[in-house]
Amino acid sequence: KVNIKTFPLIISYFQTDLGVCRKLLKKFSAETEESADITKCLSISNVTAYCADNASVNFGENQSLYIELKKIIENIVSIGCICHKIHNSIKYGS
């Protein structure tokens, strides 16, 4: 009937006794996959890095979620897709 996009917001943090921990912070929905619409759903202030798959909506040079986040958080770090980095490392290393 309708096409609603759902996005998970997952936080990664480190605890000395447990190591790296990941938690689902919240899920939110947007009617489109446009970066400006997705950014409007977020309320972030202490984010230091952004990690997502390498789709253009996430990391495009002209208009992307990362570009929108940079407008809000000047020093945010782009991590990209860790799975793609591991895959490419193994692919080119072998």
Side-chain angles (χ1 to χ4, degrees):
K1 294 181 181 179
V2 293
N3 192 8
I4 303 279
K5 306 297 179 186
T6 303
F7 303 93
L9 183 57
I10 300 170
I11 186 169
S12 295
Y13 57 94
F14 183 81
Q15 288 186 327
T16 53
D17 55 336
L18 299 173
V20 177
C21 301
R22 291 180 184 84
K23 301 287 181 194
L24 176 64
L25 194 58
K26 72 176 190 174
K27 290 190 300 184
F28 60 93
S29 300
E31 292 185 18
T32 71
E33 290 181 344
E34 293 183 22
S35 57
D37 291 337
I38 297 169
T39 306
K40 289 176 191 174
C41 296
L42 301 173
S43 57
I44 53 175
S45 58
N46 295 321
V47 173
T48 57
Y50 175 63
C51 178
D53 68 4
N54 294 331
S56 60
V57 70
N58 292 320
F59 289 106
E61 292 181 21
N62 298 319
Q63 183 180 1
S64 66
L65 188 52
Y66 179 67
I67 297 296
E68 296 292 328
L69 291 173
K70 288 267 304 171
K71 293 176 186 176
I72 300 168
I73 307 165
E74 224 174 87
N75 298 324
I76 194 167
V77 176
S78 165
I79 295 176
C81 179
I82 293 178
C83 293
H84 282 115
K85 289 181 181 193
I86 292 169
H87 174 267
N88 288 340
S89 297
I90 293 169
K91 177 181 172 183
Y92 293 112
S94 62

